[in-house]
């Protein structure tokens, strides 16, 4: 990660019921273990190990259903994930476009953990990666094999090697691909790729972190303003699908411990949250919250420290943000919390276009 995240652990959930009849000595030793097991097994967000929902491709469609894979084929836990979906728009139209987004926290590290095997099983039409930390010249061969059939585009920092970086892959060749947002001070870290398609712009972004001690918060504010201006200009031409690690938990519901992190930890300052609000006010929607406005404990990032992922002490930092006029085409937005390989998990958007 670009910076250490401060996480304050929540209290263990109480376990009652049958335990009340067990001897006090056994109970004292058991509550913590059992509560931890319950937390580990049950993630409440859609797309978790027990409840993920994603589409199976229909025979004869433009993309076929991926064959079932064993646990060794697909990496930790993703073999337990159901990738099928019958999602529809509010008007009843079935999805026909699947987009996956994932901050891989270093692509080479993800490949070593066999995380790349997730992509063929998910079988998205478009794949967007953030924090790749590599160029197209040093991509692991295992990953290249997983991306057969895709047109690929890479954007790496001009100065810092092994830092930041984004990538975009599409089964359909885009009309045009642009790198950066056209502002020199923001375009040297490989953070934004834009692909133009017939009906929309696909933008993947790895938004700058404000840094330990919030040392880059001022820069982050200038970035947010410039990036919003860029998206608004695109939106005047065609609708926009923005995805990626936006490095902000917009509302208190979007992280486990809002009180202890507010204005202390990157990603949950007033300035960053207001920057995201300003983007939405320009005619965009946070697609997940539009579908699930009150869903809790649904996160896309967990610190490696303190067993945060097993306890589901996380943040929702990864988004699909849509132009307002794409909302009638929205079918679903799924958090793939059961897919391992990074400190983030993939997120998936289903549209009917």
């Amino acid at each position: 990660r670009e910076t250490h995240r401060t996480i304050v652990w929540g209290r263990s959930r109480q376990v009652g019921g049958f335990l009340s009849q067990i001897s006090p000595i056994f109970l004292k030793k058991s509550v913590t273990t059992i509560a931890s097991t319950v937390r580990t097994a049950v993630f409440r967000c859609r797309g978790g190990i027990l409840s993920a929902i994603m589409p199976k491709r229909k025979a004869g469609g433009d993309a076929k259903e991926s064959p079932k894979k064993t646990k060794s084929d697909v990496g930790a836990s993703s073999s337990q994930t159901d990738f099928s979906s019958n999602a529809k728009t509010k008007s009843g139209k079935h999805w026909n476009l699947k987009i996956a987004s994932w901050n891989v926290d270093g692509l080479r590290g993800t490949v070593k953990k066999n995380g790349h095997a997730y992509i063929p099983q998910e079988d998205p039409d478009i794949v967007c990666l953030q924090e790749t930390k590599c160029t197209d010249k040093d991509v692991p061969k295992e990953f290249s094999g997983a991306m057969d059939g895709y047109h690929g585009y890479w954007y790496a920092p001009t100065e810092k090697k092994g830092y930041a970086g984004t990538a975009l892959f599409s089964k359909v060749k885009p009309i045009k691909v642009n790198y950066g947002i056209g502002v020199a001070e923001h375009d040297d870290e490989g953070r934004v790729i834009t692909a133009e398609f017939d009906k929309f712009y696909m933008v993947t972004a790895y938004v700058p972190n404000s840094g330990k001690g919030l040392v880059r918060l001022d820069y982050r504010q200038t970035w947010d303003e410039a990036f919003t201006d860029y998206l608004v200009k695109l939106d005047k031409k065609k609708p926009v699908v923005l995805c990626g690690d936006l490095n902000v938990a917009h509302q208190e519901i979007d992280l486990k411990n809002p009180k202890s992190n507010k204005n202390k930890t990157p990603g949950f300052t007033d300035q960053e949250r207001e920057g995201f609000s300003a983007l939405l006010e320009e005619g965009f929607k946070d697609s997940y919250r539009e579908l699930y406005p009150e869903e809790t404990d649904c996160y896309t990032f967990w610190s490696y420290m303190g067993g945060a992922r097993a306890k589901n002490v996380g943040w929702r930092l990864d988004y699909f943000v849509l132009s307002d006029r794409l909302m009638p085409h929205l079918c679903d937005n799924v958090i793939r919390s059961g897919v391992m390989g990074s400190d983030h998990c993939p997120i998936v958007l289903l549209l009917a276009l």
Side-chain angles (χ1 to χ4, degrees):
R1 302 292 303 157
E2 288 182 65
T3 185
H4 167 70
R5 292 196 180 282
T6 301
I7 303 291
V8 179
W9 313 118
R11 295 182 60 188
S12 298
R13 296 176 185 171
Q14 297 297 318
V15 179
F18 71 92
L19 288 179
S20 63
Q21 302 177 20
I22 302 176
S23 70
I25 295 176
F26 177 81
L27 179 61
K28 182 177 181 181
K29 295 181 178 179
S30 301
V31 169
T32 301
T33 300
I34 295 173
S36 178
T37 301
V38 171
R39 281 195 304 270
T40 302
V42 183
F43 282 179
R44 294 170 62 185
C45 53
R46 296 169 60 86
I49 294 174
L50 300 179
S51 63
I53 329 175
M54 279 306 298
K56 291 183 179 178
R57 308 288 183 162
K58 294 183 179 180
D62 54 0
K64 297 180 180 179
E65 179 184 351
S66 298
K68 297 293 183 181
K69 292 179 169 59
T70 65
K71 186 170 183 178
S72 60
D73 289 327
V74 299
S77 298
S78 59
S79 64
Q80 302 176 37
T81 300
D82 180 6
F83 291 90
S84 63
S85 175
N86 293 317
K88 302 176 184 179
T89 64
K90 289 183 178 180
S91 64
K93 293 183 178 179
H94 287 271
W95 68 272
N96 59 10
L97 178 66
K98 180 196 282 193
I99 305 170
S101 177
W102 194 8
N103 178 322
V104 292
D105 188 29
L107 183 60
R108 285 167 288 194
T110 296
V111 168
K112 288 180 181 179
K113 299 171 186 175
N114 203 35
H116 63 289
Y118 152 76
I119 295 173
Q121 187 173 22
E122 183 72 77
D123 192 25
D125 300 294
I126 300 173
V127 181
C128 298
L129 304 179
Q130 304 87 40
E131 205 173 1
T132 53
K133 299 181 182 179
C134 67
T135 69
D136 57 345
K137 296 180 180 179
D138 51 12
V139 174
K141 62 180 181 179
E142 296 90 344
F143 179 80
S144 298
M147 302 309 297
D148 285 346
Y150 288 88
H151 302 275
Y153 307 91
W154 298 82
Y155 190 28
T158 54
E159 299 293 336
K160 301 178 182 179
K161 292 184 178 181
Y163 174 77
T166 47
L168 185 150
F169 306 87
S170 176
K171 291 181 178 179
V172 175
K173 188 175 182 179
I175 297 170
K176 186 178 181 181
V177 176
N178 290 323
Y179 302 91
I181 62 175
V183 180
E185 68 173 310
H186 302 311
D187 287 346
D188 61 351
E189 295 182 346
R191 293 189 177 274
V192 179
I193 300 177
T194 303
E196 181 182 357
F197 295 95
D198 287 338
K199 296 182 179 180
F200 65 97
Y201 285 106
M202 180 77 243
V203 181
T204 184
Y206 178 37
V207 171
N209 191 293
S210 293
K212 186 176 181 179
L214 305 177
V215 294
R216 295 192 85 191
L217 181 56
D218 288 344
Y219 171 73
R220 168 63 182 271
Q221 291 176 261
T222 63
W223 160 277
D224 284 346
E225 292 175 5
F227 190 44
T228 295
D229 289 344
Y230 173 74
L231 295 172
V232 169
K233 290 176 182 177
L234 289 180
D235 187 53
K236 291 179 180 178
K237 302 174 185 177
K238 290 182 181 181
V240 173
V241 176
L242 164 65
C243 74
D245 177 359
L246 304 190
N247 259 317
V248 61
H250 187 216
Q251 304 293 345
E252 290 192 355
I253 196 174
D254 294 318
L255 73 164
K256 187 67 172 182
N257 296 305
K259 292 182 180 179
S260 59
N261 285 290
K262 186 176 181 181
N263 291 324
K264 298 176 182 178
T265 308
F268 200 59
T269 63
D270 291 341
Q271 295 90 329
E272 291 162 314
R273 297 167 67 194
E274 289 167 3
F276 189 74
S277 294
L279 170 62
L280 299 183
E281 290 168 2
E282 292 290 344
F284 297 93
K285 292 288 191 296
D286 172 358
S287 61
Y288 187 81
R289 282 296 169 217
E290 289 295 313
L291 292 168
Y292 311 110
E294 298 180 359
E295 196 77 10
T296 61
D297 297 331
C298 294
Y299 309 125
T300 65
F301 165 80
W302 303 263
S303 169
Y304 285 124
M305 298 175 62
R309 191 159 188 170
K311 299 172 183 176
N312 199 25
V313 178
W315 300 56
R316 189 172 73 95
L317 300 178
D318 302 84
Y319 295 77
F320 280 104
V321 175
L322 308 181
S323 294
D324 283 349
R325 59 192 185 279
L326 283 178
M327 292 307 296
H329 303 278
L330 176 62
C331 296
D332 206 354
N333 182 331
V334 182
I335 296 175
R336 289 280 189 229
S337 58
V339 176
M340 305 299 176
S342 169
D343 52 358
H344 291 249
C345 72
I347 57 174
V348 178
L349 181 74
L350 300 178
L351 294 175
L353 291 178

